[in-house]
Amino acid sequence: MKTRVLQVDPESPSAETLAEAASVLARGGLVAFATETVYGLGALATNPSAVSRIFEAKGRPSFNPLIVHVNGIAQARLVTSNWPRVADRLAGKFWPGPLTLVLPRSAIIPDVVTGGRETVALRVPQPPVARGLIEHLGQPLAAPSANRSNRLSPTRAEHVLADLGGRIDLILDSGPTTMGLESTVLDLTSLPLRILRPGPIGPAEISRCLGGRTPIEFAEQEIAEPGSESLASPGMLRVHYAPRTPTLRVDSAEQLATISWPRNAAVIVIGSSTLPELPFGLHVVRLGDPESASQKLYETLHDCDTLNLDIIVIVMPPDEPEWRTIRDRLVRAARPWTG
Ligand code: TXA
Ligand code: MG
């Protein structure tokens, strides 16, 4: 299959391009498009064979459910069997935006989307391209991140093409995404509410929106091997979102001094640690504050992957709330350095 790439203006996408992409989707095709977080790989959510093609293209295990992208609360209600007041509050405040809500699904959503679960994960993306695509389709759009299973999420169309070229129909290239890390996934089906995947919207904001009285917890870090089907959210697998290059993490910059460096290596310093003396010629990238680190982390790792390095070493940021999402992704992308 030849993957077509269409350039599209991120602010005012042409109606013609959106209509063309929507018609590919309506015929059961796969279209990658940018959201504010990462590029998604879309298929018509109500068409089981189109959705199965997502799993094939990504090599994604069938038990790992997909996020359904809708154009607003009205469409969200159609794909859920219960729309509680908390959902209304949170959607009213954070949609469009990087918050995914897990709710009981309605019969419109086929089993293949949810991996057979009785719940569906939903969100409304913000960018005009993503919104316009759903509007033109007139139907919900199932879309996981547009990468091969267990690889890094893409923040540019080039990343999608490199990973999925030849396996999908179309990529809408509207430039880099603005946030750079995947949405927060929040389970509303029981109390306490559970954050299944930390993301750009944190527990404090969610709690404030609900008046500060609703208990919220983080899902336990589940240490499971790929293949386990018992996970609350299968995206919680360890060593997920990983670069191709062997990638290690250290908790403090001093540990860098004890590594015997191969010839081609990169160090990514997240936070403001002072570095020890390092060998000449090492690539050093610094991502100093949580916002720019979120925006640039995947892009930096994708860039490192193109350099044919022997190793990437990441200096972890401190274990503090503002770094939680980044630490979560780093723990999945990198193995601990054990000396
Ligand atoms: O920012 C994002 O969320 C991006 C863009 C494209 O929207 N999407 C994304 O999708 O990251 P994906 O498939 O890579 O991650 C979806 C996460 C996975 O951890 C999955 O297990 C979880 O959401 N998930 C989906 N449906 C679920 C459900 N019914 N119950 C629990 N977790 C669910
Ligand atoms: Mg993903």
Side-chain angles (χ1 to χ4, degrees):
M1 172 192 300
K2 171 116 178 71
T3 299
R4 281 194 305 150
V5 180
L6 293 177
Q7 304 296 320
V8 53
D9 186 312
E11 296 308 325
S12 52
S14 98
E16 202 186 338
T17 308
L18 292 176
E20 187 174 345
S23 83
V24 172
L25 290 165
R27 290 196 300 268
L30 302 183
V31 176
F33 61 97
T35 75
E36 64 274 64
T37 58
V38 300
Y39 272 74
L41 178 61
L44 179 55
T46 51
N47 177 339
S49 66
V51 173
S52 329
R53 289 190 55 213
I54 291 183
F55 287 89
E56 274 165 41
K58 283 179 61 88
R60 182 171 176 120
S62 61
F63 60 79
N64 192 355
L66 308 180
I67 294 177
V68 173
H69 296 69
V70 292
N71 64 9
I73 291 177
Q75 206 172 48
R77 295 181 88 125
L78 292 177
V79 301
T80 53
S81 62
N82 177 32
W83 182 258
R85 195 186 300 236
V86 278
D88 224 41
R89 284 255 179 119
L90 292 168
K93 166 106 177 123
F94 296 110
W95 285 359
L99 179 66
T100 297
L101 302 176
V102 174
L103 287 160
R105 67 163 161 160
S106 77
I108 293 179
I109 297 298
D111 279 344
V112 55
V113 171
T114 70
R117 286 156 196 260
E118 289 312 317
T119 55
V120 63
L122 286 176
R123 83 177 187 97
V124 178
Q126 185 275 323
V129 174
R131 299 295 294 285
L133 193 57
I134 302 169
E135 295 291 343
H136 275 77
L137 188 62
Q139 301 263 359
L141 190 55
S145 52
N147 52 279
R148 298 275 199 121
S149 198
N150 296 335
R151 296 256 176 245
L152 291 174
S153 290
T155 58
R156 292 176 176 273
E158 294 84 340
H159 303 154
V160 181
L161 188 62
D163 215 19
L164 293 174
R167 306 174 73 87
I168 64 177
D169 299 280
L170 178 64
I171 301 172
L172 293 180
D173 180 356
S174 56
T177 63
T178 51
M179 290 187 161
L181 291 181
E182 304 86 346
S183 64
T184 305
V185 179
L186 179 67
D187 184 350
L188 299 184
T189 61
S190 56
L191 273 176
L193 305 183
R194 283 205 309 157
I195 295 181
L196 302 179
R197 180 175 70 185
I201 295 173
E205 276 179 281
I206 293 169
S207 173
R208 217 175 305 126
C209 169
L210 299 177
R213 288 180 305 276
T214 311
I216 300 167
E217 65 179 23
F218 282 96
E220 291 251 324
Q221 279 274 335
E222 295 179 81
I223 304 175
E225 292 308 314
S228 165
E229 300 189 24
S230 66
L231 302 172
S233 191
M236 303 292 283
L237 294 173
R238 289 264 164 159
V239 189
H240 193 73
Y241 315 115
R244 279 172 231 267
T245 313
T247 304
L248 299 176
R249 59 186 147 93
V250 294
D251 284 320
S252 77
E254 292 90 81
Q255 287 176 280
L256 296 175
T258 63
I259 293 177
S260 40
W261 293 95
R263 187 195 298 266
N264 295 308
V267 177
I268 304 175
V269 188
I270 319 273
S272 52
S273 323
T274 314
L275 297 187
E277 200 170 317
L278 294 171
F280 180 77
L282 212 62
H283 296 267
V284 179
V285 180
R286 204 180 253 289
L287 301 174
D289 63 278
E291 199 181 325
S292 63
S294 302
Q295 224 174 45
K296 293 283 176 215
L297 178 64
Y298 288 155
E299 185 172 337
T300 304
L301 292 171
H302 278 291
D303 286 348
C304 284
D305 258 350
T306 65
L307 296 175
N308 283 318
L309 301 170
D310 301 308
I311 196 175
I312 302 169
V313 180
I314 298 174
V315 180
M316 293 290 277
D319 190 358
E320 283 160 14
E322 73 265 31
W323 292 105
R324 178 150 200 149
T325 303
I326 291 163
R327 286 180 60 92
D328 170 83
R329 302 307 191 271
L330 291 173
V331 164
R332 294 165 209 292
R335 294 175 192 279
W337 186 71
T338 49

